[in-house]
Amino acid sequence: MSARSLMISPSILGGNFSNTADDIAAIAASGADYAHFDVMDGHFVPEITFGAKMIEDARPLTDLIFDVHLMIEKPELSVERFAKAGAGIITVHAEATRHIWRTLSLIKECGAEAGVAINPGTPVSFIESVLPIADYILVMTVNPGWSGQRFIPECMDKIAELDQRRHDDGYGYLIEADGGIGLGNVKALFDAGMDMAVVGSAFFREDDKAAFVSQMQERCL
Ligand code: DX5
Ligand code: ZN
């Protein structure tokens, strides 16, 4: 049995926004480790979802850590607000700011854990300088913006590269993968070095969500 264990962060984007409180309750009841919130601004990605008020209003519903994925331009202008709203992890896209070091530092100063995300077209070398300070590296395994897309297998190499780098250089980040993940590919991602799987549509399409979470974990024993 492996010493590592898979963590699962279901994304409410895969659910129904007219039913968010029930979707969050379903995540909490499933045995998942986190709840993932996808914030989109209509600029960094075409879609618009919600802002910090969603985090604030959902915060009393559960003790789960809120894993907030900001797909927004200039996230440095908003991280303080999201931290105050109750985000436990705030992840920003390296492509969305000229100030990635300052933004990650600001997230930590606000009391949250700091994640940096990269799109499928962005190499690991682009975030080289912040590898020592990031708590999480989020590797997008689809193009950001929508739930229910097909996994891009070429992104797997970046997970393996990040896993190698942290072993070689002693970095402490966890590796999160987001997009197109389900029972069919979770084991390969875990073996490559992924610690946390964000799961949207594959989670919400299941009637028995607790069984799904268990099956995902069992695949990675
Ligand atoms: C996409 C989002 C993902 C999305 C994943 O931009 O970042 O978190 O909800 O959904 P699935 O698992 O359906 O690809
Ligand atoms: Zn996401």
Side-chain angles (χ1 to χ4, degrees):
M1 188 187 281
S2 164
R4 299 165 60 225
S5 63
L6 174 74
M7 295 180 288
I8 298 184
S9 189
S11 166
I12 63 165
L13 188 65
N16 184 325
F17 279 2
S18 69
N19 201 26
T20 298
D22 287 349
D23 285 351
I24 291 169
I27 293 172
S30 72
D33 304 279
Y34 305 86
H36 186 88
F37 290 78
D38 287 302
V39 179
M40 304 184 189
D41 67 351
H43 293 276
F44 183 71
V45 290
E47 291 284 318
I48 300 173
T49 55
F50 46 77
K53 186 173 187 297
M54 173 68 90
I55 313 305
E56 198 168 69
D57 290 350
R59 190 58 283 178
L61 301 177
T62 173
D63 291 333
L64 282 178
I65 295 170
F66 285 178
D67 165 33
V68 177
H69 178 192
L70 298 183
M71 285 162 275
I72 65 176
E73 295 287 351
K74 297 188 179 174
E76 61 273 20
L77 303 179
S78 304
V79 295
E80 193 171 354
R81 174 77 180 96
F82 279 95
K84 282 200 176 117
I89 304 166
I90 300 176
T91 296
V92 299
H93 271 264
E95 306 90 350
T97 177
R98 294 179 184 145
H99 303 289
I100 189 61
W101 186 288
R102 175 157 67 83
T103 306
L104 295 179
S105 303
L106 182 60
I107 293 168
K108 292 181 175 195
E109 283 164 25
C110 292
E113 290 192 289
V116 58
I118 49 174
N119 284 335
T122 304
V124 169
S125 59
F126 190 67
I127 53 167
E128 173 75 37
S129 62
V130 294
L131 294 180
I133 64 165
D135 297 309
Y136 289 85
I137 311 289
L138 187 156
V139 176
M140 286 303 308
T141 43
V142 298
N143 288 296
W146 302 271
S147 200
Q149 300 179 81
R150 195 185 297 261
F151 178 79
I152 301 173
E154 287 81 358
C155 298
M156 190 81 86
D157 288 349
K158 289 193 276 187
I159 294 170
E161 183 181 351
L162 284 161
D163 188 47
Q164 189 65 49
R165 285 299 308 271
R166 67 180 166 181
H167 284 113
D168 291 350
D169 298 319
Y171 299 144
Y173 54 76
L174 294 176
I175 302 171
E176 185 172 359
D178 185 358
I181 301 175
L183 289 169
N185 57 10
V186 69
K187 168 79 170 145
L189 286 156
F190 183 76
D191 287 347
M194 175 188 71
D195 302 291
M196 189 203 294
V198 177
V199 189
S201 48
F203 177 87
F204 278 100
R205 85 163 67 98
E206 296 290 335
D207 290 330
D208 189 343
K209 295 176 172 50
F212 173 74
V213 167
S214 297
Q215 286 166 16
M216 291 282 279
Q217 289 163 337
E218 283 159 14
R219 300 263 158 123
C220 299
L221 291 179

